[in-house]
Amino acid sequence: MKQNTGRSFGFLQINERGGKPRRTGVTEIRGPYYSPLGKRALLDILETMGAYVDVLTFAGGSFALMPESSVRELIDTCHSHDVLVSS
């Protein structure tokens, strides 16, 4: 019953999607509202699930408190993984 998909739980069926950039089957992740998302946490997400992430949305106000250079670094990290950024 197990299929060799390269994913954990390969026996679970998922809807296959085309490569990035996608126009359909887009996955958005949202940054946390009350605690900032740092570069290392974002890299953990993108290194493990980046093939499925199309957009990062800055949610809430925590990002407004971050230094501009840190926010720019998050945006650049997203772009280097073919992830769009939205607010």
Side-chain angles (χ1 to χ4, degrees):
M1 177 178 220
K2 182 175 177 168
Q3 299 172 4
N4 185 8
T5 63
R7 291 182 289 109
S8 59
F9 304 102
F11 58 90
L12 296 174
Q13 293 183 351
I14 64 168
N15 295 331
E16 296 299 328
R17 298 184 283 170
K20 292 182 185 182
R22 284 184 272 274
R23 291 187 172 267
T24 60
V26 174
T27 300
E28 170 194 27
I29 62 171
R30 290 178 174 244
Y33 282 86
Y34 300 111
S35 60
L37 175 70
K39 181 181 178 185
R40 286 179 288 283
L42 178 60
L43 278 172
D44 282 344
I45 293 167
L46 296 178
E47 288 174 357
T48 57
M49 298 294 298
Y52 300 99
V53 177
D54 298 294
V55 182
L56 169 70
T57 298
F58 290 127
S62 62
F63 293 99
L65 302 175
M66 295 174 68
E68 182 179 346
S69 60
S70 296
V71 174
R72 170 55 51 200
E73 192 172 29
L74 292 176
I75 293 169
D76 292 343
T77 299
C78 284
H79 289 168
S80 70
H81 286 82
D82 295 322
V83 173
L84 300 174
V85 179
S86 177
S87 60

